[in-house]
Amino acid sequence: MQTYILHLFRILPIISLSLLLHLDKVKMSNTTQIMSYEKDKNALIEERLDSLLALMTLEEKIGQLVQYSGFDELTGPGAKTGNALEKYNRIKAGKVGSLLNVLSVESVRKMQELAVNNSRLGIPLLFGYDVIHGYKTMFPIPLGESASWDLEAIRMSAAVAAKEAASSGLNWTFAPMIDIGRDPRWGRVMEGGGEDTYLGAQIGVARVKGFQSDDLKNPLSIAACAKHFAAYGFAEGGRDYNTVDVSDYTLHNVILPPFKACADAGVATFMNSFNEIGGIPSTGNVYLQREMLKKNWNYQGFVVSDWASIYEMEEHGHAADLKDAALKAITAGSDMDMESYAYENHLETLVKEGKIDEKIIEDAARRILRVKYQIGIMDNPYLYCDEKREKKNILTKENLGISRDIARKSIVLLKNQNNLLPLSKDLKSIAIIGPLAADKDTPLGNWRGQAINNSAVSLLEGVKNMAGKKTEVTYAEGCKLSIGERSFTAELTINQNDRSQIPAAVALAKQSEIVILAIGEDSQQSGEGRSQTDITLSGVQQELLEAVYAANKNLVVVLMNGRPLVIPWMAENAPAIVEAWHLGSEAGNAIADVLFGAYNPSGKLPMSFPRHVGQIPVYYNHKNTGRPVSKDNNVFWSHYTDMPNSPLYPFGFGLSYTTFEYSPIRLSKNTFKNGEQITASITLKNTGKYEGSEIVQLYLRDLVGSLTRPVKELKGFQKVTLAPNESKEVSFTITAKDLEYYTARKQWEAEPGDFHLFIGTNSQEVQKTTFKLE
């Protein structure tokens, strides 16, 4: 009977599907045909869902809502004992919908066979994993990659990561993280796109498109997941998992737009967040998940909880016990339970007690099954299980080349006094100093997937590869950054006392023509659970910096870090500073490309660097306040008495080896109405001696609103490459849509009035003009 049902369920709908999918081979001549085709495909999936759900028992529907973390012993000796045996039997019975952390085609196939060959309906499993900035080939951490402002490069990075992950049997990633982050104390800023809503939305969409490609059934693509819904980046004090309390204005105008953009782009899944908002944990937030996401945005994918976040509603004090947590989570719209064991233990009872309508369970199961149809595993459960692809597509020379290109695009030149950079290949000697100079592990970053530890190209190796044959390259560690264990789950112990290597580093610096000093953060200092109150240089690195600078003023500092750091002494004294983040597998080669001028840096900061931790949060799109300046030369205005309000390095900042000249702004007209548009243009000229790329940035300010508005907001950017002495007109089109925000009327609209328009090289250095929306 099992075989008959499975055969009937699979084969008959596939006959209908094959008749429709032959259209894939037909070249469609216009958009209408393509839209009709997509509509027909979606309609067929809904028909198949209706048929399947009609066959499923309540237990089987609940099973689709359950996700376990992988356990290798399932296919080994341990599979017949204890908790593993219970999970093993539940998979065989069709009572599990997804596994995470199951790696390799062999392991995925074994797990898939358990579900498909033994359960009554043979429904396959989803296999998820945190593919954050690469699978085995590592790319820059997302914050670093965001500094490229290069959406095609970011899409490509995600596409390569998807290709490698899919070739290893995976079909779902828990990325991109699109939380807006204004507090660099929060360790997870390394995983996002920075402080700006517009840029963050653009980057999120690029990564979704990269992971998912144009066709989710492409076996080299994986389903993406927009996380963390919502406001996770606004944890109080920058302390991970902490309380969030934001206004309706901030929620709608700052936090939610990247999620809406990803939903509109077709992201397959959402993940809710650990934090509470206004007293309600996001996992149990009806307004966010069921009303906003599923009703108002008409989102058809599913929502997965974060790790044990359903259970954690007990710890929040929002649920009395796990049963109550299950009730509140499923009611709120959290469709899949990741590692809380709440749904499998309590949903059936809650339905029987009349506390949950089975229709809610069925809606969640439908959403999860819909994604399984969309990625193609309902027709071929082993679509992602190809050992040949696994051997062919992972850590290839091509993938490493793409990683190197994206890494150098992500580098930001913060300072270049007296044009110390780029370095000449005719230098007689270069000293490479610092705890990160020869480090082959830290450049891989946190959330490093299946990267091989200590596999990155170090800065020392990169410089040796690039330096001239007659240049002597020497090395001194200078100091240890950390001591003891380094792992994803362990607290890192920073070296606070050992200064024994500093004298040797100073001696080397004195006898060298140029010094390159590599300092910053260990890869395990930023990331989940790694918030810090002190974001200055850790340990004895500041002492090393000052000692080396005193020995040799021809100093290039290469910063490797996962968050903005507080570096006022360095910014004032070091002649050259290169922000190199944690750049991934090809870090050393990419940095050397920039240091020696093989690539002219073009990166711009996606997040402001504070002067002092006491300024945090410091971000460019702040409000004006009622006292923005001193009008009577007294202290009664919004400021600090001990330092400027402004950041050390503002959002959008980044230098080049060449220079650019901006002409005055030209507007096509000074007033326009809804339905019309205006064009703002400048002429950009390369006035230096190198070819270079400039990221031209457009900002707007709504001067008067029903709710107060920021002093400026990014609304567009363009990357322009120019040869020396070359000029180009750069234009931006502004419509009423660009002026919309979530107003006092609790709707998105553009309010008539006067606006400032800014164009410039970063959020502070801009030109200004004015226009009016009538």
Side-chain angles (χ1 to χ4, degrees), residues 167-210:
S167 296
S168 295
L170 299 167
N171 48 41
W172 181 22
T173 177
F174 306 121
M177 191 192 92
I178 50 177
D179 299 297
I180 300 304
R182 293 172 167 177
D183 192 332
R185 294 172 299 180
W186 185 50
R188 289 193 90 165
V189 293
M190 58 78 58
E191 200 179 335
E195 72 186 47
D196 182 67
T197 299
Y198 178 86
L199 180 62
Q202 298 292 314
I203 289 169
V205 169
R207 301 195 75 212
V208 168
K209 290 180 178 178

mmCIF file of all heavy atoms in Angstrom, residues 167-210:
data_model
loop_
_atom_site.group_PDB
_atom_site.id
_atom_site.type_symbol
_atom_site.label_atom_id
_atom_site.label_comp_id
_atom_site.label_asym_id
_atom_site.label_seq_id
_atom_site.Cartn_x
_atom_site.Cartn_y
_atom_site.Cartn_z
ATOM 1 N N SER A 167 26.526 21.565 -4.185
ATOM 2 C CA SER A 167 27.314 20.430 -4.652
ATOM 3 C C SER A 167 27.662 19.481 -3.512
ATOM 4 O O SER A 167 28.042 18.326 -3.749
ATOM 5 C CB SER A 167 28.594 20.918 -5.332
ATOM 6 O OG SER A 167 28.289 21.667 -6.489
ATOM 7 N N SER A 168 27.536 19.960 -2.268
ATOM 8 C CA SER A 168 27.761 19.116 -1.100
ATOM 9 C C SER A 168 26.468 18.522 -0.556
ATOM 10 O O SER A 168 26.475 17.905 0.510
ATOM 11 C CB SER A 168 28.443 19.936 0.011
ATOM 12 O OG SER A 168 29.733 20.336 -0.393
ATOM 13 N N GLY A 169 25.357 18.731 -1.278
ATOM 14 C CA GLY A 169 24.094 18.121 -0.884
ATOM 15 C C GLY A 169 23.118 19.037 -0.204
ATOM 16 O O GLY A 169 21.966 18.659 0.043
ATOM 17 N N LEU A 170 23.531 20.256 0.131
ATOM 18 C CA LEU A 170 22.649 21.192 0.832
ATOM 19 C C LEU A 170 21.699 21.878 -0.134
ATOM 20 O O LEU A 170 22.025 22.065 -1.311
ATOM 21 C CB LEU A 170 23.480 22.237 1.561
ATOM 22 C CG LEU A 170 24.431 21.692 2.632
ATOM 23 C CD1 LEU A 170 25.424 22.758 3.063
ATOM 24 C CD2 LEU A 170 23.649 21.181 3.830
ATOM 25 N N ASN A 171 20.527 22.289 0.362
ATOM 26 C CA ASN A 171 19.591 23.003 -0.504
ATOM 27 C C ASN A 171 18.979 24.237 0.160
ATOM 28 O O ASN A 171 18.034 24.818 -0.362
ATOM 29 C CB ASN A 171 18.483 22.058 -0.998
ATOM 30 C CG ASN A 171 17.861 21.237 0.108
ATOM 31 O OD1 ASN A 171 17.610 21.740 1.202
ATOM 32 N ND2 ASN A 171 17.609 19.956 -0.176
ATOM 33 N N TRP A 172 19.546 24.661 1.279
ATOM 34 C CA TRP A 172 18.964 25.788 2.014
ATOM 35 C C TRP A 172 20.048 26.425 2.873
ATOM 36 O O TRP A 172 20.790 25.731 3.567
ATOM 37 C CB TRP A 172 17.817 25.273 2.883
ATOM 38 C CG TRP A 172 17.066 26.261 3.707
ATOM 39 C CD1 TRP A 172 16.955 27.601 3.524
ATOM 40 C CD2 TRP A 172 16.279 25.946 4.860
ATOM 41 N NE1 TRP A 172 16.151 28.159 4.493
ATOM 42 C CE2 TRP A 172 15.711 27.167 5.327
ATOM 43 C CE3 TRP A 172 15.978 24.769 5.549
ATOM 44 C CZ2 TRP A 172 14.889 27.225 6.439
ATOM 45 C CZ3 TRP A 172 15.156 24.831 6.670
ATOM 46 C CH2 TRP A 172 14.611 26.055 7.111
ATOM 47 N N THR A 173 20.186 27.756 2.814
ATOM 48 C CA THR A 173 21.115 28.466 3.685
ATOM 49 C C THR A 173 20.360 29.410 4.603
ATOM 50 O O THR A 173 19.310 29.944 4.241
ATOM 51 C CB THR A 173 22.144 29.287 2.879
ATOM 52 O OG1 THR A 173 22.968 30.019 3.803
ATOM 53 C CG2 THR A 173 21.482 30.297 1.947
ATOM 54 N N PHE A 174 20.905 29.615 5.789
ATOM 55 C CA PHE A 174 20.349 30.589 6.725
ATOM 56 C C PHE A 174 21.048 31.929 6.517
ATOM 57 O O PHE A 174 21.753 32.445 7.395
ATOM 58 C CB PHE A 174 20.501 30.079 8.157
ATOM 59 C CG PHE A 174 19.909 28.709 8.362
ATOM 60 C CD1 PHE A 174 20.691 27.655 8.803
ATOM 61 C CD2 PHE A 174 18.575 28.465 8.083
ATOM 62 C CE1 PHE A 174 20.158 26.397 8.972
ATOM 63 C CE2 PHE A 174 18.026 27.205 8.249
ATOM 64 C CZ PHE A 174 18.822 26.163 8.691
ATOM 65 N N ALA A 175 20.865 32.485 5.366
ATOM 66 C CA ALA A 175 21.465 33.769 4.979
ATOM 67 C C ALA A 175 20.632 34.322 3.818
ATOM 68 O O ALA A 175 19.966 33.547 3.120
ATOM 69 C CB ALA A 175 22.930 33.591 4.555
ATOM 70 N N PRO A 176 20.613 35.632 3.612
ATOM 71 C CA PRO A 176 21.471 36.646 4.224
ATOM 72 C C PRO A 176 20.920 37.195 5.531
ATOM 73 O O PRO A 176 19.709 37.221 5.747
ATOM 74 C CB PRO A 176 21.475 37.747 3.162
ATOM 75 C CG PRO A 176 20.102 37.667 2.559
ATOM 76 C CD PRO A 176 19.785 36.191 2.525
ATOM 77 N N MET A 177 21.830 37.650 6.397
ATOM 78 C CA MET A 177 21.436 38.429 7.554
ATOM 79 C C MET A 177 21.299 39.880 7.104
ATOM 80 O O MET A 177 22.259 40.478 6.630
ATOM 81 C CB MET A 177 22.469 38.335 8.682
ATOM 82 C CG MET A 177 21.948 38.926 9.992
ATOM 83 S SD MET A 177 23.189 39.164 11.277
ATOM 84 C CE MET A 177 23.670 40.870 10.925
ATOM 85 N N ILE A 178 20.110 40.435 7.257
ATOM 86 C CA ILE A 178 19.849 41.786 6.764
ATOM 87 C C ILE A 178 19.451 42.735 7.898
ATOM 88 O O ILE A 178 18.770 43.729 7.683
ATOM 89 C CB ILE A 178 18.781 41.786 5.644
ATOM 90 C CG1 ILE A 178 17.532 41.005 6.068
ATOM 91 C CG2 ILE A 178 19.360 41.199 4.369
ATOM 92 C CD1 ILE A 178 16.418 41.041 5.031
ATOM 93 N N ASP A 179 19.895 42.404 9.102
ATOM 94 C CA ASP A 179 19.657 43.280 10.244
ATOM 95 C C ASP A 179 20.495 44.552 10.096
ATOM 96 O O ASP A 179 21.702 44.483 9.877
ATOM 97 C CB ASP A 179 20.057 42.576 11.545
ATOM 98 C CG ASP A 179 19.258 41.308 11.776
ATOM 99 O OD1 ASP A 179 18.031 41.421 11.923
ATOM 100 O OD2 ASP A 179 19.863 40.216 11.797
ATOM 101 N N ILE A 180 19.848 45.695 10.230
ATOM 102 C CA ILE A 180 20.578 46.957 10.245
ATOM 103 C C ILE A 180 21.324 47.053 11.574
ATOM 104 O O ILE A 180 20.750 46.795 12.636
ATOM 105 C CB ILE A 180 19.617 48.149 10.074
ATOM 106 C CG1 ILE A 180 18.863 48.040 8.735
ATOM 107 C CG2 ILE A 180 20.367 49.467 10.164
ATOM 108 C CD1 ILE A 180 19.758 47.930 7.532
ATOM 109 N N GLY A 181 22.608 47.409 11.511
ATOM 110 C CA GLY A 181 23.420 47.474 12.718
ATOM 111 C C GLY A 181 24.072 48.834 12.880
ATOM 112 O O GLY A 181 24.850 49.257 12.034
ATOM 113 N N ARG A 182 23.764 49.499 13.969
ATOM 114 C CA ARG A 182 24.344 50.816 14.257
ATOM 115 C C ARG A 182 25.325 50.774 15.424
ATOM 116 O O ARG A 182 25.922 51.788 15.766
ATOM 117 C CB ARG A 182 23.229 51.812 14.591
ATOM 118 C CG ARG A 182 22.307 52.129 13.425
ATOM 119 C CD ARG A 182 21.129 52.960 13.896
ATOM 120 N NE ARG A 182 20.381 53.538 12.779
ATOM 121 C CZ ARG A 182 19.262 54.255 12.927
ATOM 122 N NH1 ARG A 182 18.776 54.481 14.147
ATOM 123 N NH2 ARG A 182 18.640 54.754 11.881
ATOM 124 N N ASP A 183 25.484 49.599 16.032
ATOM 125 C CA ASP A 183 26.283 49.482 17.247
ATOM 126 C C ASP A 183 27.410 48.484 17.026
ATOM 127 O O ASP A 183 27.180 47.280 17.031
ATOM 128 C CB ASP A 183 25.402 49.033 18.411
ATOM 129 C CG ASP A 183 26.086 49.177 19.758
ATOM 130 O OD1 ASP A 183 27.331 49.110 19.801
ATOM 131 O OD2 ASP A 183 25.375 49.350 20.774
ATOM 132 N N PRO A 184 28.649 48.961 16.833
ATOM 133 C CA PRO A 184 29.749 48.038 16.555
ATOM 134 C C PRO A 184 30.154 47.183 17.747
ATOM 135 O O PRO A 184 30.948 46.251 17.587
ATOM 136 C CB PRO A 184 30.895 48.969 16.126
ATOM 137 C CG PRO A 184 30.572 50.283 16.728
ATOM 138 C CD PRO A 184 29.074 50.361 16.743
ATOM 139 N N ARG A 185 29.611 47.458 18.925
ATOM 140 C CA ARG A 185 29.864 46.562 20.053
ATOM 141 C C ARG A 185 29.204 45.209 19.813
ATOM 142 O O ARG A 185 29.645 44.194 20.341
ATOM 143 C CB ARG A 185 29.335 47.176 21.350
ATOM 144 C CG ARG A 185 30.060 48.427 21.789
ATOM 145 C CD ARG A 185 29.372 49.085 22.973
ATOM 146 N NE ARG A 185 28.006 49.491 22.647
ATOM 147 C CZ ARG A 185 27.178 50.085 23.506
ATOM 148 N NH1 ARG A 185 27.588 50.341 24.743
ATOM 149 N NH2 ARG A 185 25.957 50.439 23.138
ATOM 150 N N TRP A 186 28.126 45.213 19.046
ATOM 151 C CA TRP A 186 27.399 43.980 18.721
ATOM 152 C C TRP A 186 28.238 43.144 17.756
ATOM 153 O O TRP A 186 28.536 43.580 16.645
ATOM 154 C CB TRP A 186 26.039 44.339 18.104
ATOM 155 C CG TRP A 186 25.146 43.169 17.838
ATOM 156 C CD1 TRP A 186 24.823 42.162 18.707
ATOM 157 C CD2 TRP A 186 24.441 42.889 16.629
ATOM 158 N NE1 TRP A 186 23.961 41.276 18.108
ATOM 159 C CE2 TRP A 186 23.708 41.699 16.832
ATOM 160 C CE3 TRP A 186 24.359 43.530 15.392
ATOM 161 C CZ2 TRP A 186 22.902 41.142 15.839
ATOM 162 C CZ3 TRP A 186 23.560 42.975 14.408
ATOM 163 C CH2 TRP A 186 22.842 41.792 14.632
ATOM 164 N N GLY A 187 28.620 41.946 18.162
ATOM 165 C CA GLY A 187 29.527 41.133 17.368
ATOM 166 C C GLY A 187 29.004 40.735 16.016
ATOM 167 O O GLY A 187 29.781 40.484 15.085
ATOM 168 N N ARG A 188 27.685 40.678 15.863
ATOM 169 C CA ARG A 188 27.133 40.185 14.610
ATOM 170 C C ARG A 188 27.037 41.257 13.527
ATOM 171 O O ARG A 188 26.527 40.984 12.444
ATOM 172 C CB ARG A 188 25.767 39.527 14.842
ATOM 173 C CG ARG A 188 25.897 38.211 15.566
ATOM 174 C CD ARG A 188 24.637 37.381 15.544
ATOM 175 N NE ARG A 188 24.594 36.501 14.400
ATOM 176 C CZ ARG A 188 23.740 35.461 14.288
ATOM 177 N NH1 ARG A 188 22.874 35.206 15.270
ATOM 178 N NH2 ARG A 188 23.745 34.699 13.225
ATOM 179 N N VAL A 189 27.560 42.448 13.788
ATOM 180 C CA VAL A 189 27.621 43.409 12.685
ATOM 181 C C VAL A 189 28.471 42.839 11.550
ATOM 182 O O VAL A 189 28.287 43.208 10.387
ATOM 183 C CB VAL A 189 28.172 44.786 13.115
ATOM 184 C CG1 VAL A 189 27.219 45.474 14.068
ATOM 185 C CG2 VAL A 189 29.565 44.685 13.697
ATOM 186 N N MET A 190 29.400 41.927 11.868
ATOM 187 C CA MET A 190 30.240 41.331 10.824
ATOM 188 C C MET A 190 29.428 40.550 9.801
ATOM 189 O O MET A 190 29.861 40.340 8.675
ATOM 190 C CB MET A 190 31.304 40.411 11.430
ATOM 191 C CG MET A 190 30.820 39.240 12.284
ATOM 192 S SD MET A 190 30.164 37.755 11.455
ATOM 193 C CE MET A 190 31.504 37.249 10.433
ATOM 194 N N GLU A 191 28.219 40.149 10.178
ATOM 195 C CA GLU A 191 27.407 39.268 9.339
ATOM 196 C C GLU A 191 26.401 40.025 8.477
ATOM 197 O O GLU A 191 25.685 39.422 7.670
ATOM 198 C CB GLU A 191 26.671 38.284 10.259
ATOM 199 C CG GLU A 191 26.167 37.032 9.612
ATOM 200 C CD GLU A 191 25.468 36.124 10.607
ATOM 201 O OE1 GLU A 191 25.753 36.202 11.820
ATOM 202 O OE2 GLU A 191 24.629 35.323 10.161
ATOM 203 N N GLY A 192 26.332 41.350 8.653
ATOM 204 C CA GLY A 192 25.322 42.121 7.950
ATOM 205 C C GLY A 192 25.897 43.129 6.978
ATOM 206 O O GLY A 192 27.085 43.127 6.659
ATOM 207 N N GLY A 193 25.023 44.040 6.516
ATOM 208 C CA GLY A 193 25.391 45.009 5.503
ATOM 209 C C GLY A 193 25.664 46.397 6.031
ATOM 210 O O GLY A 193 25.831 47.329 5.245
ATOM 211 N N GLY A 194 25.688 46.563 7.366
ATOM 212 C CA GLY A 194 26.036 47.861 7.921
ATOM 213 C C GLY A 194 24.866 48.632 8.486
ATOM 214 O O GLY A 194 23.830 48.069 8.841
ATOM 215 N N GLU A 195 25.023 49.952 8.528
ATOM 216 C CA GLU A 195 24.084 50.805 9.268
ATOM 217 C C GLU A 195 22.953 51.374 8.431
ATOM 218 O O GLU A 195 22.009 51.933 8.983
ATOM 219 C CB GLU A 195 24.845 51.965 9.910
ATOM 220 C CG GLU A 195 25.332 53.032 8.925
ATOM 221 C CD GLU A 195 26.215 54.083 9.582
ATOM 222 O OE1 GLU A 195 27.131 53.699 10.339
ATOM 223 O OE2 GLU A 195 26.003 55.282 9.340
ATOM 224 N N ASP A 196 23.029 51.242 7.110
ATOM 225 C CA ASP A 196 22.070 51.956 6.267
ATOM 226 C C ASP A 196 20.995 51.041 5.697
ATOM 227 O O ASP A 196 21.281 49.961 5.172
ATOM 228 C CB ASP A 196 22.795 52.636 5.108
ATOM 229 C CG ASP A 196 21.831 53.434 4.252
ATOM 230 O OD1 ASP A 196 21.297 54.430 4.754
ATOM 231 O OD2 ASP A 196 21.587 53.024 3.104
ATOM 232 N N THR A 197 19.754 51.504 5.757
ATOM 233 C CA THR A 197 18.612 50.724 5.300
ATOM 234 C C THR A 197 18.614 50.532 3.796
ATOM 235 O O THR A 197 18.376 49.411 3.303
ATOM 236 C CB THR A 197 17.311 51.424 5.737
ATOM 237 O OG1 THR A 197 17.286 51.487 7.168
ATOM 238 C CG2 THR A 197 16.092 50.682 5.243
ATOM 239 N N TYR A 198 18.877 51.575 3.039
ATOM 240 C CA TYR A 198 18.848 51.476 1.577
ATOM 241 C C TYR A 198 19.942 50.540 1.074
ATOM 242 O O TYR A 198 19.689 49.622 0.299
ATOM 243 C CB TYR A 198 19.004 52.863 0.952
ATOM 244 C CG TYR A 198 19.040 52.852 -0.567
ATOM 245 C CD1 TYR A 198 17.861 52.885 -1.303
ATOM 246 C CD2 TYR A 198 20.249 52.804 -1.251
ATOM 247 C CE1 TYR A 198 17.891 52.867 -2.684
ATOM 248 C CE2 TYR A 198 20.293 52.790 -2.631
ATOM 249 C CZ TYR A 198 19.110 52.819 -3.355
ATOM 250 O OH TYR A 198 19.138 52.794 -4.726
ATOM 251 N N LEU A 199 21.169 50.776 1.526
ATOM 252 C CA LEU A 199 22.273 49.915 1.099
ATOM 253 C C LEU A 199 22.047 48.490 1.574
ATOM 254 O O LEU A 199 22.269 47.526 0.824
ATOM 255 C CB LEU A 199 23.598 50.452 1.647
ATOM 256 C CG LEU A 199 24.855 49.657 1.281
ATOM 257 C CD1 LEU A 199 25.078 49.643 -0.226
ATOM 258 C CD2 LEU A 199 26.079 50.209 2.005
ATOM 259 N N GLY A 200 21.589 48.331 2.807
ATOM 260 C CA GLY A 200 21.333 46.997 3.340
ATOM 261 C C GLY A 200 20.303 46.232 2.537
ATOM 262 O O GLY A 200 20.430 45.023 2.317
ATOM 263 N N ALA A 201 19.263 46.932 2.074
ATOM 264 C CA ALA A 201 18.238 46.283 1.257
ATOM 265 C C ALA A 201 18.797 45.848 -0.089
ATOM 266 O O ALA A 201 18.528 44.736 -0.569
ATOM 267 C CB ALA A 201 17.052 47.224 1.065
ATOM 268 N N GLN A 202 19.581 46.723 -0.709
ATOM 269 C CA GLN A 202 20.173 46.390 -2.002
ATOM 270 C C GLN A 202 21.097 45.179 -1.888
ATOM 271 O O GLN A 202 21.090 44.283 -2.741
ATOM 272 C CB GLN A 202 20.969 47.588 -2.526
ATOM 273 C CG GLN A 202 20.145 48.846 -2.773
ATOM 274 C CD GLN A 202 19.173 48.700 -3.925
ATOM 275 O OE1 GLN A 202 19.518 48.204 -4.984
ATOM 276 N NE2 GLN A 202 17.943 49.109 -3.703
ATOM 277 N N ILE A 203 21.892 45.149 -0.836
ATOM 278 C CA ILE A 203 22.824 44.040 -0.627
ATOM 279 C C ILE A 203 22.061 42.753 -0.331
ATOM 280 O O ILE A 203 22.402 41.677 -0.842
ATOM 281 C CB ILE A 203 23.804 44.385 0.509
ATOM 282 C CG1 ILE A 203 24.782 45.469 0.031
ATOM 283 C CG2 ILE A 203 24.566 43.156 0.988
ATOM 284 C CD1 ILE A 203 25.615 46.065 1.143
ATOM 285 N N GLY A 204 21.019 42.850 0.490
ATOM 286 C CA GLY A 204 20.219 41.664 0.796
ATOM 287 C C GLY A 204 19.616 41.047 -0.443
ATOM 288 O O GLY A 204 19.664 39.821 -0.640
ATOM 289 N N VAL A 205 19.063 41.872 -1.308
ATOM 290 C CA VAL A 205 18.465 41.368 -2.550
ATOM 291 C C VAL A 205 19.529 40.731 -3.448
ATOM 292 O O VAL A 205 19.314 39.673 -4.045
ATOM 293 C CB VAL A 205 17.736 42.509 -3.288
ATOM 294 C CG1 VAL A 205 17.347 42.091 -4.704
ATOM 295 C CG2 VAL A 205 16.492 42.926 -2.503
ATOM 296 N N ALA A 206 20.699 41.370 -3.532
ATOM 297 C CA ALA A 206 21.781 40.806 -4.355
ATOM 298 C C ALA A 206 22.182 39.427 -3.860
ATOM 299 O O ALA A 206 22.422 38.503 -4.656
ATOM 300 C CB ALA A 206 22.987 41.752 -4.345
ATOM 301 N N ARG A 207 22.233 39.261 -2.546
ATOM 302 C CA ARG A 207 22.630 37.967 -1.999
ATOM 303 C C ARG A 207 21.530 36.917 -2.199
ATOM 304 O O ARG A 207 21.821 35.751 -2.478
ATOM 305 C CB ARG A 207 22.991 38.107 -0.520
ATOM 306 C CG ARG A 207 24.137 39.096 -0.286
ATOM 307 C CD ARG A 207 24.738 38.982 1.096
ATOM 308 N NE ARG A 207 25.563 37.798 1.175
ATOM 309 C CZ ARG A 207 25.727 37.069 2.274
ATOM 310 N NH1 ARG A 207 25.093 37.402 3.374
ATOM 311 N NH2 ARG A 207 26.494 36.013 2.275
ATOM 312 N N VAL A 208 20.288 37.323 -2.066
ATOM 313 C CA VAL A 208 19.184 36.397 -2.342
ATOM 314 C C VAL A 208 19.253 35.905 -3.784
ATOM 315 O O VAL A 208 19.136 34.709 -4.067
ATOM 316 C CB VAL A 208 17.822 37.064 -2.059
ATOM 317 C CG1 VAL A 208 16.673 36.226 -2.631
ATOM 318 C CG2 VAL A 208 17.635 37.265 -0.564
ATOM 319 N N LYS A 209 19.448 36.835 -4.714
ATOM 320 C CA LYS A 209 19.535 36.463 -6.120
ATOM 321 C C LYS A 209 20.737 35.557 -6.381
ATOM 322 O O LYS A 209 20.676 34.648 -7.212
ATOM 323 C CB LYS A 209 19.616 37.716 -6.988
ATOM 324 C CG LYS A 209 18.325 38.520 -7.027
ATOM 325 C CD LYS A 209 18.466 39.761 -7.897
ATOM 326 C CE LYS A 209 17.157 40.528 -7.981
ATOM 327 N NZ LYS A 209 17.290 41.770 -8.798
ATOM 328 N N GLY A 210 21.838 35.796 -5.671
ATOM 329 C CA GLY A 210 23.006 34.948 -5.833
ATOM 330 C C GLY A 210 22.778 33.541 -5.327
ATOM 331 O O GLY A 210 23.102 32.559 -6.011
#
